[in-house]
Amino acid sequence: MLRAREDDDLAARFAASAATTGVGVDLATGECLDWVAKRALANPCRVSRIPFAGLAGWSFQRDTGNLVHDSGKFFSVEGLHVTVDDGATGEWQQPIIVQPEIGMLGLLAKEFGGVLHFLMQVKMEPGNPGLFQLSPTVQATRSNYTKVHRGHAVKHLDRFLDPGRGRVLVDVLQSEHGAWFFRKANRNMIVEVFDDVPVDDDYRWLSLGQIGELLHHPNLVNMDSRTVLACAPSLPQEQRALRSDTELRSWFTAERARHDLWSRRIPLAAVANWRRGATAIEHELNRFFRVVAVSVTARNREVGGWTQPLFEPIGTGVAAFVVRRLQGVPHVLADARIEGGFQNTVELGPTVQCTPEFHEDGSDRLKFVDLVLSATGDRVRYDAVHSEEGGRFFRAETRYLIVEADEAQAPAAAPPGYQWVTPGQLSALVKHGNYVNVQARTLLSVLTSGAVDVGRPGAATR
C-alpha cells in the first residue's frame, strides 16, 4: 500500500510538471529556440560526407569485410541474416550496427517552486538535421564515458553512475531501433537531485510541459530525450480498459510465442543484394538505407574532431498511433512488431511504422497507412517530424502522427497482431525493457509530456 501511494504521488508530480507550460524556472518556452540557435553559433561544427578511405581509425576487415574501429570499441557494421516464420518478407539480409555496450541516457530532475524541472542539454550529433538538438542531461556510450576517444569527461555522469546523493525515479533498459541495431539497449534514467547542480550555458531546466510544447517543433527534442521522457510515470492507470492488464500481457506473450525469429550475424562482405562502393554501402535497388562515412569537427563535444560511419535512411519514415475512445477511455492501436535486431522477437510498436514508398506488406497494415496519411482536420491530433538517433543515423527523419479514427476505420475488434492499449497501460509496460519499441516510445513521450491530450475528443494540440 505504501509503495502504491508513493507511485501515485510521483505520477502526480510528473503530471503537475506536464501541466506547467509557457514559463519555467530558467526560460520561457518561446525563448528555447533562440537558446538553441545561440549555442549553435557559439559552438561552430561541420559535418562532411567523405569516402570510406578517409575514415581515420576505422577499416574494413580483410576476412569478413566488417567495418570496425581500431580500438575494438564504439561499434561495428556487420551483416545480419534474418528468417521469420511468417509475413510477406520471410527472409532477408542487411547491414546492421553491432554495439554490445549499454549506453547511458539520463535526465536530472529537480523541484523549483514545487514543480519538477528537467536539466536539458543543447548537444550536437553529426547525423542531426540542423546538428543541435535538446538532449538529456547525459547521453553517452560506455566508450565515451570510459574515454576510449581520450577526450573530456562526460558532465554530470557521476549523478547517474552513483546516484546516492539523489533519488532514482526511473531506471530501465530500453531497446533501440531493431531494424538498424543488433540487440542494442540503453539505460534510461531519471534522477531527482536536492542540492545545487552547477550548469553552463549548454544546459537549462525545463518543466515537462515546456518540453511537451517543444515537441511540436520539428527536429528539436532528440530521440534520446524522447525515450527517457516516455518512461516518466505520469499517466494514470485507466479503470475501463478494453483489455485487463493480465489479458494484455497474455496476448503479448502469445504474440512472442507464436513467432519464430532467427537472426544471426554474418560477414558484411557476404550480405546478399548489397554492394559496397567508395562512398556508400547500398541496396542494389537503392532502397531502405545506405552506410556512409562522415568527418566531424565540433567545439562542444568530448573531442574536437573525428570520423565515423553512419546509416542514412532513404526516404522519410512514418510512425503513427491510431486512437479511439473505447468504453469511454482513450486507446491507441499497438502493433506487435517483429524486427531483426530485437532481443525478444516482438515489441509493441505504433499502428503504422514504415517508409511509405517501400511499404508492400499485408492488407491491414496498408489500410492503416492509408488511414493516417489521408487524415485531415481535427482527426490529426499530433503531427511533427523528429529525427532519430543522430550519433548513428544520418538525417534519419520520421513523421510522427496521432490520428483519431472511428469504428469503420479501426474496429474495436483489432486485426491479428494488433491490440487496443490505453496510454496508461502502455506507460506501465514501459517500466519494463523490451516491451515498447523506440518509435512507440516517442509517441508515448508526446502523451506523457502533455503535448496532446487524447482524453479530450477533438481537442486541439497545444
Side-chain angles (χ1 to χ4, degrees), residues 226-384:
R226 301 191 307 264
T227 182
V228 177
L229 291 170
C231 302
S234 59
L235 292 173
Q237 285 289 92
E238 299 86 353
Q239 299 301 311
R240 299 188 307 278
L242 190 64
R243 300 282 180 266
S244 70
D245 293 348
T246 300
E247 289 172 331
L248 176 60
R249 288 193 297 268
S250 178
W251 169 82
F252 182 74
T253 301
E255 286 296 311
R256 280 187 167 170
R258 78 181 182 89
H259 295 288
D260 288 322
L261 171 69
W262 296 274
S263 296
R264 63 183 180 91
R265 290 154 62 181
I266 62 174
L268 182 59
V271 174
N273 306 122
W274 291 73
R275 60 194 176 207
R276 186 180 111 194
T279 60
I281 300 170
E282 53 196 341
H283 193 269
E284 61 186 14
L285 299 179
N286 194 31
R287 304 181 74 181
F288 311 121
F289 63 90
R290 59 177 69 95
V291 184
V292 300
V294 297
S295 174
V296 185
T297 58
R299 181 177 293 182
N300 73 336
R301 290 294 302 263
E302 292 83 7
V303 294
W306 69 92
T307 62
Q308 70 168 95
L310 290 171
F311 275 33
E312 181 184 27
I314 298 173
T316 299
V318 171
F321 268 141
V322 170
V323 60
R324 284 192 60 195
R325 293 182 68 83
L326 300 170
Q327 302 181 164
V329 175
H331 287 68
V332 298
L333 187 60
D335 180 13
R337 289 190 58 84
I338 299 173
E339 295 183 12
F342 281 161
Q343 179 74 37
N344 292 318
T345 308
V346 166
E347 295 189 15
L348 291 181
T351 320
V352 170
Q353 180 185 318
C354 68
T355 303
E357 53 262 50
F358 304 142
H359 191 76
E360 297 175 348
D361 59 356
S363 59
D364 288 320
R365 285 180 170 81
L366 185 59
K367 169 185 171 182
F368 292 130
V369 172
D370 292 341
L371 168 62
V372 300
L373 293 182
S374 63
T376 59
D378 289 346
R379 286 193 179 275
V380 181
R381 307 297 300 280
Y382 180 80
D383 188 354

Side-chain angles (χ1 to χ4, degrees), residues 157-193:
L157 178 66
D158 61 309
R159 299 276 185 165
F160 300 94
L161 295 183
D162 184 17
R165 288 177 290 170
R167 178 191 178 195
V168 176
L169 306 182
V170 168
D171 193 354
V172 59
L173 292 179
Q174 298 288 4
S175 62
E176 285 214 42
H177 296 75
W180 297 331
F181 278 107
F182 184 71
R183 300 177 183 175
K184 174 74 169 69
N186 284 321
R187 189 178 180 187
N188 289 235
M189 294 186 72
I190 301 178
V191 174
E192 184 177 9
V193 295

Side-chain angles (χ1 to χ4, degrees), residues 138-158:
V138 166
Q139 173 186 322
T141 66
R142 185 174 295 162
S143 290
N144 287 143
Y145 64 73
T146 57
K147 301 184 184 179
V148 173
H149 50 42
R150 300 178 183 176
H152 301 300
V154 176
K155 296 177 183 177
H156 307 298
L157 178 66
D158 61 309

